[in-house]
Amino acid sequence: MSDRARRIIFFVGALPLAALLVLACLRLPPSGRGGSSYGDVINGAAADERHAADAVTAVNFDYRAFDTLGEEFILFTSVMGVVLLLRRSSEDDTEDDTDDKSANRQAPPTSDAVRALGLALVGLTVSFGLYIVTHGQVSPGGGFQGGVIIATGWMVLYLAGNAQTYCRLASPSLFEAVEALGAASYALVGAGALVAGMAYLANYVPLGPTPSTVRSGGTIALLSVAVGIEVSAGFIVLISTFLKEALAERQDQ
Amino acid sequence: MIPGYVPFFVAIWLFLWGLYGIITSRHFVHLIVCVGLLQTSTYLLLAGIGYRAGGVAPVMVTTTHAHESVVDPIVQALMLTDVVVEATVMALLLAMAVQLYEKLGSADPQKTRVLRG
Protein backbone atom coordinates (compact mmCIF):
# COMPACT_ATOMS: atom_id res chain seq x y z
CA MET A 1 0.00 0.00 0.00
CA SER A 2 1.36 3.42 -0.88
CA ASP A 3 2.05 6.07 1.74
CA ARG A 4 -0.59 8.27 0.20
CA ALA A 5 -3.28 5.60 0.43
CA ARG A 6 -2.32 4.92 4.02
CA ARG A 7 -2.72 8.57 4.96
CA ILE A 8 -6.06 8.86 3.19
CA ILE A 9 -7.40 5.80 4.97
CA PHE A 10 -6.06 7.13 8.28
CA PHE A 11 -7.79 10.49 7.91
CA VAL A 12 -11.04 8.89 6.77
CA GLY A 13 -11.06 6.87 9.98
CA ALA A 14 -9.47 9.40 12.31
CA LEU A 15 -11.68 12.44 11.66
CA PRO A 16 -14.93 10.73 12.74
CA LEU A 17 -13.02 9.18 15.65
CA ALA A 18 -11.80 12.65 16.68
CA ALA A 19 -15.34 14.00 16.49
CA LEU A 20 -16.67 11.14 18.62
CA LEU A 21 -13.91 11.58 21.19
CA VAL A 22 -14.57 15.31 21.46
CA LEU A 23 -18.31 14.67 21.89
CA ALA A 24 -17.57 12.06 24.55
CA CYS A 25 -15.20 14.40 26.43
CA LEU A 26 -17.78 17.20 26.41
CA ARG A 27 -20.02 14.95 28.49
CA LEU A 28 -17.34 14.52 31.15
CA PRO A 29 -17.28 16.90 34.10
CA PRO A 30 -14.80 19.64 33.07
CA SER A 31 -11.32 19.43 34.48
CA GLY A 32 -11.14 21.35 37.75
CA ARG A 33 -14.56 20.15 38.83
CA GLY A 34 -13.79 16.44 38.48
CA GLY A 35 -12.81 13.90 41.06
CA SER A 36 -14.79 10.87 42.16
CA SER A 37 -16.72 10.26 45.36
CA TYR A 38 -14.62 7.11 45.77
CA GLY A 39 -11.55 9.37 45.80
CA ASP A 40 -13.16 11.59 48.44
CA VAL A 41 -13.93 8.61 50.65
CA ILE A 42 -10.31 7.44 50.45
CA ASN A 43 -8.97 10.96 51.06
CA GLY A 44 -11.04 11.08 54.20
CA ALA A 45 -10.28 7.55 55.39
CA ALA A 46 -6.64 6.82 54.54
CA ALA A 47 -5.05 8.82 57.33
CA ASP A 48 -7.31 7.47 60.11
CA GLU A 49 -8.00 3.98 58.86
CA ARG A 50 -4.54 3.06 57.54
CA HIS A 51 -2.31 5.67 59.25
CA ALA A 52 -1.02 6.59 55.79
CA ALA A 53 -0.88 10.31 55.07
CA ASP A 54 -0.38 9.84 51.32
CA ALA A 55 -3.70 8.67 49.93
CA VAL A 56 -2.12 7.75 46.58
CA THR A 57 0.21 5.23 48.20
CA ALA A 58 -2.65 3.93 50.33
CA VAL A 59 -4.63 3.28 47.13
CA ASN A 60 -1.69 1.56 45.43
CA PHE A 61 -0.55 -0.69 48.24
CA ASP A 62 -3.68 -1.21 50.29
CA TYR A 63 -7.12 -0.35 48.90
CA ARG A 64 -6.24 -1.44 45.36
CA ALA A 65 -3.21 -3.60 46.20
CA PHE A 66 -4.58 -6.42 44.08
CA ASP A 67 -4.43 -4.21 40.97
CA THR A 68 -0.86 -3.34 41.80
CA LEU A 69 -0.09 -7.07 41.97
CA GLY A 70 -1.21 -7.29 38.35
CA GLU A 71 0.78 -4.18 37.31
CA GLU A 72 3.80 -5.56 39.07
CA PHE A 73 3.65 -8.80 37.13
CA ILE A 74 3.27 -6.92 33.82
CA LEU A 75 6.53 -5.21 34.74
CA PHE A 76 8.12 -8.52 35.69
CA THR A 77 7.12 -10.29 32.49
CA SER A 78 8.22 -7.35 30.28
CA VAL A 79 11.67 -7.41 31.85
CA MET A 80 11.84 -11.18 31.41
CA GLY A 81 10.74 -10.73 27.79
CA VAL A 82 13.57 -8.26 27.13
CA VAL A 83 16.11 -10.61 28.72
CA LEU A 84 14.84 -13.56 26.66
CA LEU A 85 14.74 -11.62 23.39
CA LEU A 86 18.19 -10.12 23.75
CA ARG A 87 19.91 -13.21 25.11
CA ARG A 88 22.80 -13.87 22.75
CA SER A 89 22.74 -17.33 21.24
CA SER A 90 26.45 -17.68 21.91
CA GLU A 91 27.06 -16.96 25.58
CA ASP A 92 30.81 -17.22 25.05
CA ASP A 93 31.51 -13.48 25.09
CA THR A 94 33.04 -13.34 28.52
CA GLU A 95 32.64 -10.45 30.91
CA ASP A 96 36.26 -9.27 30.74
CA ASP A 97 35.86 -8.44 27.06
CA THR A 98 33.15 -5.85 27.37
CA ASP A 99 35.16 -2.70 26.85
CA ASP A 100 33.38 0.06 25.03
CA LYS A 101 34.48 -0.74 21.47
CA SER A 102 32.94 1.60 18.97
CA ALA A 103 32.99 0.56 15.34
CA ASN A 104 34.30 3.81 13.95
CA ARG A 105 35.72 5.68 16.90
CA GLN A 106 37.36 4.94 20.19
CA ALA A 107 35.30 6.29 23.07
CA PRO A 108 37.19 9.14 24.75
CA PRO A 109 38.39 8.33 28.27
CA THR A 110 36.02 9.51 31.00
CA SER A 111 37.28 12.81 32.39
CA ASP A 112 38.22 13.06 36.05
CA ALA A 113 35.50 15.62 36.63
CA VAL A 114 32.77 13.30 35.33
CA ARG A 115 34.26 10.41 37.30
CA ALA A 116 34.41 12.31 40.60
CA LEU A 117 30.99 13.91 40.25
CA GLY A 118 29.48 10.61 39.12
CA LEU A 119 30.86 8.67 42.06
CA ALA A 120 29.64 11.38 44.44
CA LEU A 121 26.18 11.22 42.85
CA VAL A 122 25.84 7.42 43.05
CA GLY A 123 25.55 7.37 46.85
CA LEU A 124 23.30 10.42 46.88
CA THR A 125 20.97 9.02 44.21
CA VAL A 126 20.68 5.58 45.80
CA SER A 127 20.01 6.99 49.28
CA PHE A 128 17.43 9.40 47.87
CA GLY A 129 15.79 6.42 46.13
CA LEU A 130 15.75 4.47 49.40
CA TYR A 131 14.19 7.47 51.13
CA ILE A 132 11.44 7.68 48.50
CA VAL A 133 10.76 3.92 48.71
CA THR A 134 10.47 3.87 52.50
CA HIS A 135 8.53 7.13 52.94
CA GLY A 136 5.74 6.38 50.48
CA GLN A 137 3.09 6.33 53.18
CA VAL A 138 4.15 9.70 54.65
CA SER A 139 4.86 11.84 51.58
CA PRO A 140 4.56 11.48 47.81
CA GLY A 141 6.64 8.52 46.75
CA GLY A 142 6.66 4.77 47.12
CA GLY A 143 8.17 1.68 45.55
CA PHE A 144 7.56 2.53 41.91
CA GLN A 145 9.11 5.99 41.95
CA GLY A 146 11.90 5.13 44.39
CA GLY A 147 12.82 1.98 42.49
CA VAL A 148 13.42 3.95 39.31
CA ILE A 149 15.55 6.49 41.21
CA ILE A 150 17.70 3.68 42.69
CA ALA A 151 18.22 2.22 39.21
CA THR A 152 19.35 5.68 38.04
CA GLY A 153 22.22 5.31 40.52
CA TRP A 154 23.52 2.39 38.46
CA MET A 155 23.26 4.46 35.27
CA VAL A 156 25.37 7.19 36.88
CA LEU A 157 27.82 4.43 37.79
CA TYR A 158 28.05 3.48 34.12
CA LEU A 159 28.68 7.09 33.12
CA ALA A 160 31.33 7.58 35.81
CA GLY A 161 33.11 4.27 35.33
CA ASN A 162 33.34 2.15 32.22
CA ALA A 163 31.21 -0.63 30.78
CA GLN A 164 33.50 -3.26 32.28
CA THR A 165 33.08 -2.02 35.87
CA TYR A 166 29.40 -1.59 35.28
CA CYS A 167 28.85 -5.13 34.02
CA ARG A 168 30.71 -6.47 37.04
CA LEU A 169 28.54 -4.47 39.45
CA ALA A 170 25.26 -5.05 37.63
CA SER A 171 25.39 -8.71 36.72
CA PRO A 172 22.00 -9.45 35.11
CA SER A 173 21.79 -12.92 36.63
CA LEU A 174 22.11 -11.48 40.15
CA PHE A 175 19.57 -8.71 39.55
CA GLU A 176 17.15 -11.09 37.83
CA ALA A 177 17.14 -13.04 41.09
CA VAL A 178 16.66 -9.83 43.11
CA GLU A 179 13.79 -8.80 40.85
CA ALA A 180 12.12 -12.19 41.27
CA LEU A 181 12.61 -11.85 45.03
CA GLY A 182 10.82 -8.48 44.98
CA ALA A 183 7.92 -9.85 42.92
CA ALA A 184 7.62 -12.93 45.14
CA SER A 185 7.72 -10.97 48.38
CA TYR A 186 4.80 -8.82 47.19
CA ALA A 187 2.73 -11.97 46.64
CA LEU A 188 3.94 -13.50 49.92
CA VAL A 189 3.19 -10.41 52.02
CA GLY A 190 -0.30 -10.62 50.54
CA ALA A 191 -0.52 -14.32 51.37
CA GLY A 192 0.43 -13.51 54.97
CA ALA A 193 -3.05 -12.02 55.36
CA LEU A 194 -4.53 -15.45 54.59
CA VAL A 195 -2.51 -16.91 57.48
CA ALA A 196 -3.87 -14.16 59.72
CA GLY A 197 -7.37 -15.24 58.69
CA MET A 198 -8.10 -12.20 56.50
CA ALA A 199 -8.64 -11.59 52.80
CA TYR A 200 -5.66 -11.72 50.41
CA LEU A 201 -3.58 -8.52 50.61
CA ALA A 202 -5.55 -7.25 53.60
CA ASN A 203 -3.59 -5.02 55.97
CA TYR A 204 -2.76 -7.36 58.88
CA VAL A 205 0.41 -5.74 60.26
CA PRO A 206 0.07 -3.29 63.22
CA LEU A 207 -0.57 0.13 61.69
CA GLY A 208 2.02 2.00 63.75
CA PRO A 209 1.90 5.59 64.97
CA THR A 210 -0.44 8.26 63.69
CA PRO A 211 0.04 10.91 62.25
CA SER A 212 2.02 8.69 59.99
CA THR A 213 5.74 8.17 60.19
CA VAL A 214 8.05 5.80 58.37
CA ARG A 215 6.82 2.98 60.67
CA SER A 216 3.13 3.57 59.89
CA GLY A 217 0.87 1.94 57.39
CA GLY A 218 1.29 -1.77 58.16
CA THR A 219 1.59 -3.74 54.94
CA ILE A 220 1.67 -0.51 52.87
CA ALA A 221 5.31 -0.04 53.86
CA LEU A 222 6.18 -3.71 53.27
CA LEU A 223 4.55 -3.85 49.84
CA SER A 224 6.16 -0.55 48.87
CA VAL A 225 9.60 -1.93 49.71
CA ALA A 226 8.84 -5.15 47.78
CA VAL A 227 7.87 -3.11 44.71
CA GLY A 228 10.92 -0.89 45.19
CA ILE A 229 13.20 -3.94 45.12
CA GLU A 230 11.47 -5.30 42.04
CA VAL A 231 11.38 -2.06 40.06
CA SER A 232 14.98 -1.10 40.80
CA ALA A 233 16.31 -4.58 39.98
CA GLY A 234 14.09 -4.74 36.89
CA PHE A 235 15.42 -1.45 35.52
CA ILE A 236 19.01 -2.42 36.28
CA VAL A 237 18.45 -5.68 34.37
CA LEU A 238 16.99 -3.71 31.45
CA ILE A 239 19.89 -1.26 31.36
CA SER A 240 22.57 -3.93 31.53
CA THR A 241 20.83 -6.18 28.99
CA PHE A 242 20.64 -3.37 26.43
CA LEU A 243 24.19 -2.32 27.23
CA LYS A 244 25.50 -5.85 26.73
CA GLU A 245 23.61 -6.07 23.45
CA ALA A 246 25.17 -2.80 22.27
CA LEU A 247 28.65 -3.91 23.28
CA ALA A 248 28.27 -7.30 21.58
CA GLU A 249 26.98 -5.55 18.45
CA ARG A 250 30.05 -3.33 18.34
CA GLN A 251 32.35 -6.31 18.69
CA ASP A 252 30.67 -8.09 15.82
CA GLN A 253 31.35 -5.23 13.46
CA MET B 1 -16.97 26.18 29.92
CA ILE B 2 -14.26 25.55 27.33
CA PRO B 3 -11.09 25.97 29.51
CA GLY B 4 -12.04 22.97 31.63
CA TYR B 5 -12.04 20.77 28.54
CA VAL B 6 -8.63 21.82 27.21
CA PRO B 7 -6.74 18.90 28.90
CA PHE B 8 -9.14 16.42 27.29
CA PHE B 9 -8.76 18.01 23.86
CA VAL B 10 -4.97 17.96 24.15
CA ALA B 11 -5.22 14.27 25.14
CA ILE B 12 -7.29 13.54 22.01
CA TRP B 13 -4.81 15.54 19.92
CA LEU B 14 -1.84 13.54 21.26
CA PHE B 15 -3.72 10.25 20.88
CA LEU B 16 -4.57 10.87 17.23
CA TRP B 17 -1.09 12.05 16.23
CA GLY B 18 0.38 9.03 18.02
CA LEU B 19 -1.93 6.86 15.96
CA TYR B 20 -0.97 8.73 12.78
CA GLY B 21 2.71 8.14 13.57
CA ILE B 22 2.15 4.42 14.12
CA ILE B 23 0.28 4.04 10.85
CA THR B 24 2.71 5.99 8.67
CA SER B 25 5.92 4.97 10.47
CA ARG B 26 8.97 4.02 8.42
CA HIS B 27 11.17 2.94 11.31
CA PHE B 28 10.57 0.63 14.29
CA VAL B 29 12.11 3.02 16.83
CA HIS B 30 9.95 5.87 15.51
CA LEU B 31 6.94 3.57 15.76
CA ILE B 32 7.72 2.75 19.40
CA VAL B 33 8.11 6.44 20.28
CA CYS B 34 4.67 6.98 18.72
CA VAL B 35 3.22 4.22 20.91
CA GLY B 36 4.71 6.11 23.86
CA LEU B 37 3.12 9.36 22.68
CA LEU B 38 -0.23 7.64 22.33
CA GLN B 39 0.05 6.32 25.86
CA THR B 40 1.03 9.75 27.21
CA SER B 41 -2.39 11.01 26.17
CA THR B 42 -3.97 8.73 28.77
CA TYR B 43 -1.99 10.39 31.57
CA LEU B 44 -3.28 13.79 30.56
CA LEU B 45 -6.84 12.47 30.39
CA LEU B 46 -6.58 10.88 33.85
CA ALA B 47 -4.92 13.93 35.42
CA GLY B 48 -7.60 16.12 33.84
CA ILE B 49 -10.41 13.96 35.22
CA GLY B 50 -9.05 13.93 38.77
CA TYR B 51 -8.14 17.61 39.00
CA ARG B 52 -10.08 20.06 41.14
CA ALA B 53 -9.57 23.80 40.80
CA GLY B 54 -7.52 24.96 43.77
CA GLY B 55 -7.26 21.41 45.06
CA VAL B 56 -4.26 20.32 47.13
CA ALA B 57 -2.30 17.08 46.74
CA PRO B 58 -3.92 14.08 48.48
CA VAL B 59 -1.37 14.00 51.30
CA MET B 60 -3.11 14.38 54.65
CA VAL B 61 -0.24 15.50 56.86
CA THR B 62 -2.62 17.00 59.39
CA THR B 63 -6.33 16.57 59.91
CA THR B 64 -7.02 20.19 58.96
CA HIS B 65 -7.49 19.21 55.30
CA ALA B 66 -11.10 18.16 55.88
CA HIS B 67 -12.62 21.39 54.59
CA GLU B 68 -10.14 21.87 51.75
CA SER B 69 -10.59 20.69 48.21
CA VAL B 70 -8.34 17.71 47.48
CA VAL B 71 -7.64 16.17 44.08
CA ASP B 72 -8.64 12.58 43.32
CA PRO B 73 -5.98 10.05 44.46
CA ILE B 74 -7.38 7.14 42.42
CA VAL B 75 -6.37 8.48 38.99
CA GLN B 76 -2.96 9.48 40.34
CA ALA B 77 -2.38 5.94 41.61
CA LEU B 78 -3.38 4.57 38.19
CA MET B 79 -0.98 6.94 36.45
CA LEU B 80 2.09 6.38 38.54
CA THR B 81 2.04 2.60 38.17
CA ASP B 82 1.38 3.02 34.48
CA VAL B 83 4.33 5.36 33.93
CA VAL B 84 6.75 2.77 35.29
CA VAL B 85 5.07 -0.17 33.58
CA GLU B 86 5.05 1.75 30.29
CA ALA B 87 8.80 2.25 30.51
CA THR B 88 9.40 -1.50 30.79
CA VAL B 89 6.89 -2.29 28.05
CA MET B 90 8.72 0.21 25.79
CA ALA B 91 11.94 -1.64 26.59
CA LEU B 92 10.24 -4.89 25.56
CA LEU B 93 9.11 -3.30 22.29
CA LEU B 94 12.61 -1.98 21.62
CA ALA B 95 14.03 -5.48 22.25
CA MET B 96 11.54 -6.79 19.70
CA ALA B 97 12.68 -4.09 17.27
CA VAL B 98 16.29 -5.21 17.71
CA GLN B 99 15.31 -8.82 17.01
CA LEU B 100 13.17 -7.88 14.00
CA TYR B 101 16.04 -5.86 12.56
CA GLU B 102 18.37 -8.82 12.95
CA LYS B 103 15.91 -11.28 11.44
CA LEU B 104 14.56 -9.12 8.61
CA GLY B 105 17.53 -6.90 7.84
CA SER B 106 15.39 -3.77 7.80
CA ALA B 107 13.94 -1.43 10.40
CA ASP B 108 11.15 -0.26 8.12
CA PRO B 109 7.81 -1.84 9.09
CA GLN B 110 6.48 -1.29 5.56
CA LYS B 111 9.34 -3.16 3.93
CA THR B 112 8.97 -6.27 6.06
CA ARG B 113 6.74 -8.98 4.73
CA VAL B 114 5.24 -9.93 8.11
CA LEU B 115 4.12 -6.40 8.95
CA ARG B 116 3.26 -5.01 5.53
CA GLY B 117 -0.31 -3.78 5.56
Side-chain angles (χ1 to χ4, degrees), chain A residues 125-162:
Chain A
T125 312
V126 172
S127 35
F128 182 60
L130 289 171
Y131 164 77
I132 296 284
V133 169
T134 49
H135 286 68
Q137 64 276 39
V138 189
S139 55
F144 283 101
Q145 302 94 313
V148 177
I149 297 174
I150 294 174
T152 318
W154 263 260
M155 284 184 98
V156 174
L157 196 68
Y158 167 65
L159 288 177
N162 55 21

Coordinates of all heavy atoms in Angstrom, one line a residue, chain A residues 125-162:
Chain A
T125 N 22.2 9.5 45.0 CA 21.0 9.0 44.2 C 20.4 7.8 44.9 O 19.1 7.7 45.0 CB 21.4 8.7 42.8 OG1 22.2 9.7 42.2 CG2 20.2 8.5 41.9
V126 N 21.2 6.8 45.2 CA 20.7 5.6 45.8 C 20.0 5.9 47.2 O 18.9 5.4 47.4 CB 21.8 4.5 45.9 CG1 21.3 3.3 46.7 CG2 22.2 4.1 44.5
S127 N 20.6 6.7 48.0 CA 20.0 7.0 49.3 C 18.7 7.8 49.1 O 17.8 7.6 49.8 CB 21.0 7.7 50.3 OG 21.8 8.5 49.6
F128 N 18.7 8.7 48.1 CA 17.4 9.4 47.9 C 16.4 8.4 47.4 O 15.2 8.5 47.9 CB 17.7 10.5 46.8 CG 16.4 11.3 46.5 CD1 15.8 12.0 47.5 CD2 15.9 11.3 45.2 CE1 14.7 12.8 47.2 CE2 14.7 12.0 45.0 CZ 14.1 12.8 45.9
G129 N 16.7 7.5 46.6 CA 15.8 6.4 46.1 C 15.3 5.6 47.3 O 14.1 5.4 47.4
L130 N 16.2 5.2 48.2 CA 15.7 4.5 49.4 C 14.8 5.3 50.2 O 13.8 4.8 50.8 CB 17.0 4.1 50.2 CG 17.9 3.0 49.6 CD1 19.1 2.8 50.4 CD2 17.1 1.7 49.5
Y131 N 15.1 6.6 50.4 CA 14.2 7.5 51.1 C 12.8 7.5 50.5 O 11.8 7.4 51.2 CB 14.8 8.9 51.2 CG 13.8 10.0 51.6 CD1 13.5 10.1 52.9 CD2 13.3 10.8 50.6 CE1 12.6 11.1 53.3 CE2 12.4 11.8 51.0 CZ 12.0 11.9 52.3 OH 11.1 12.9 52.6
I132 N 12.7 7.6 49.2 CA 11.4 7.7 48.5 C 10.7 6.4 48.7 O 9.5 6.3 48.9 CB 11.6 8.0 47.0 CG1 12.2 9.4 46.8 CG2 10.3 7.9 46.2 CD1 11.3 10.5 47.0
V133 N 11.4 5.2 48.6 CA 10.8 3.9 48.7 C 10.2 3.8 50.1 O 9.0 3.3 50.3 CB 11.8 2.8 48.5 CG1 11.2 1.4 48.8 CG2 12.2 2.7 47.0
T134 N 10.9 4.2 51.1 CA 10.5 3.9 52.5 C 9.5 4.9 53.0 O 8.8 4.6 54.0 CB 11.7 3.8 53.5 OG1 12.5 5.0 53.3 CG2 12.5 2.6 53.2
H135 N 9.4 6.1 52.4 CA 8.5 7.1 52.9 C 7.2 7.3 52.1 O 6.6 8.3 52.2 CB 9.3 8.5 53.0 CG 10.3 8.5 54.2 ND1 11.4 7.7 54.2 CD2 10.3 9.2 55.3 CE1 12.1 8.0 55.3 NE2 11.4 8.8 56.0
G136 N 6.9 6.3 51.3 CA 5.7 6.4 50.5 C 4.5 6.7 51.2 O 3.6 7.4 50.7
Q137 N 4.4 6.1 52.4 CA 3.1 6.3 53.2 C 3.0 7.7 53.9 O 1.9 8.1 54.3 CB 2.9 5.2 54.2 CG 3.9 5.1 55.3 CD 5.1 4.4 54.9 OE1 5.6 4.5 53.8 NE2 5.7 3.6 55.8
V138 N 4.1 8.4 54.0 CA 4.2 9.7 54.6 C 4.0 10.9 53.6 O 3.3 11.8 53.9 CB 5.5 9.9 55.5 CG1 5.4 11.1 56.3 CG2 5.7 8.6 56.3
S139 N 4.8 10.7 52.6 CA 4.9 11.8 51.6 C 4.8 11.2 50.2 O 4.9 10.0 50.1 CB 6.2 12.6 51.8 OG 7.2 11.7 51.7
P140 N 4.6 12.1 49.2 CA 4.6 11.5 47.8 C 5.8 10.6 47.5 O 6.9 11.0 47.8 CB 4.5 12.7 46.9 CG 3.9 13.8 47.8 CD 4.4 13.5 49.2
G141 N 5.5 9.4 47.0 CA 6.6 8.5 46.7 C 6.1 7.1 46.8 O 4.9 6.9 46.7
G142 N 7.0 6.2 47.1 CA 6.7 4.8 47.1 C 7.6 3.9 46.3 O 8.5 4.4 45.7
G143 N 7.3 2.6 46.2 CA 8.2 1.7 45.6 C 8.4 1.9 44.1 O 9.5 1.8 43.6
F144 N 7.4 2.3 43.4 CA 7.6 2.5 41.9 C 8.5 3.7 41.6 O 9.5 3.5 40.9 CB 6.2 2.8 41.2 CG 5.4 1.6 41.1 CD1 4.3 1.3 41.9 CD2 5.6 0.7 40.1 CE1 3.6 0.1 41.8 CE2 4.9 -0.5 39.9 CZ 3.9 -0.7 40.8
Q145 N 8.3 4.8 42.2 CA 9.1 6.0 42.0 C 10.5 5.8 42.5 O 11.5 6.0 41.8 CB 8.5 7.2 42.6 CG 7.1 7.6 42.2 CD 6.1 7.0 43.1 OE1 6.1 5.9 43.5 NE2 5.1 7.8 43.5
G146 N 10.6 5.3 43.8 CA 11.9 5.1 44.4 C 12.7 4.1 43.7 O 14.0 4.3 43.5
G147 N 12.1 3.0 43.2 CA 12.8 2.0 42.5 C 13.5 2.5 41.3 O 14.7 2.2 41.0
V148 N 12.8 3.4 40.5 CA 13.4 4.0 39.3 C 14.6 4.8 39.7 O 15.7 4.8 39.0 CB 12.4 4.7 38.5 CG1 13.0 5.4 37.3 CG2 11.3 3.8 38.0
I149 N 14.5 5.6 40.8 CA 15.5 6.5 41.2 C 16.8 5.7 41.6 O 17.9 6.0 41.2 CB 15.1 7.4 42.4 CG1 14.0 8.3 41.9 CG2 16.3 8.2 42.9 CD1 13.4 9.1 43.0
I150 N 16.6 4.5 42.3 CA 17.7 3.7 42.7 C 18.4 3.2 41.4 O 19.6 3.2 41.3 CB 17.2 2.5 43.6 CG1 16.7 3.0 44.9 CG2 18.3 1.5 43.8 CD1 16.1 2.0 45.8
A151 N 17.6 2.7 40.4 CA 18.2 2.2 39.2 C 19.0 3.3 38.5 O 20.0 3.0 37.9 CB 17.1 1.7 38.3
T152 N 18.6 4.6 38.6 CA 19.4 5.7 38.0 C 20.8 5.7 38.6 O 21.7 6.1 37.9 CB 18.7 7.0 38.3 OG1 17.3 6.8 38.1 CG2 19.1 8.1 37.4
G153 N 20.9 5.4 39.9 CA 22.2 5.3 40.5 C 23.2 4.4 39.7 O 24.3 4.8 39.5
W154 N 22.7 3.3 39.2 CA 23.5 2.4 38.5 C 23.9 3.0 37.1 O 25.0 2.8 36.6 CB 22.8 1.1 38.3 CG 23.2 0.0 39.3 CD1 24.1 -1.0 39.1 CD2 22.8 -0.1 40.6 NE1 24.3 -1.7 40.2 CE2 23.5 -1.2 41.2 CE3 21.9 0.6 41.4 CZ2 23.3 -1.6 42.5 CZ3 21.8 0.3 42.8 CH2 22.5 -0.8 43.3
M155 N 22.9 3.8 36.5 CA 23.3 4.5 35.3 C 24.4 5.5 35.5 O 25.3 5.6 34.6 CB 22.0 5.2 34.7 CG 21.1 4.2 34.1 SD 19.7 5.1 33.4 CE 20.2 5.1 31.7
V156 N 24.3 6.2 36.6 CA 25.4 7.2 36.9 C 26.7 6.5 37.0 O 27.7 6.9 36.6 CB 25.0 8.0 38.2 CG1 26.2 8.9 38.6 CG2 23.8 8.8 38.0
L157 N 26.6 5.3 37.6 CA 27.8 4.4 37.8 C 28.4 4.1 36.4 O 29.6 4.1 36.2 CB 27.4 3.2 38.5 CG 28.5 2.3 39.1 CD1 29.1 3.1 40.3 CD2 27.9 1.0 39.6
Y158 N 27.6 3.8 35.5 CA 28.0 3.5 34.1 C 28.7 4.7 33.5 O 29.8 4.6 32.9 CB 26.9 3.0 33.2 CG 27.2 3.0 31.8 CD1 28.2 2.1 31.3 CD2 26.6 3.8 30.9 CE1 28.5 2.0 30.0 CE2 27.0 3.8 29.5 CZ 27.9 2.9 29.1 OH 28.3 2.9 27.8
L159 N 28.1 5.9 33.7 CA 28.7 7.1 33.1 C 30.0 7.4 33.8 O 31.0 7.9 33.1 CB 27.7 8.3 33.3 CG 26.5 8.3 32.5 CD1 25.6 9.4 32.8 CD2 26.8 8.3 31.0
A160 N 30.1 7.2 35.1 CA 31.3 7.6 35.8 C 32.4 6.6 35.6 O 33.6 6.9 35.5 CB 31.0 7.7 37.3
G161 N 32.1 5.3 35.5 CA 33.1 4.3 35.3 C 33.2 3.9 33.9 O 33.1 4.7 33.0
N162 N 33.4 2.6 33.6 CA 33.3 2.2 32.2 C 32.4 0.9 32.2 O 32.0 0.4 33.2 CB 34.7 1.8 31.7 CG 35.5 0.8 32.6 OD1 34.8 0.1 33.3 ND2 36.8 0.8 32.5

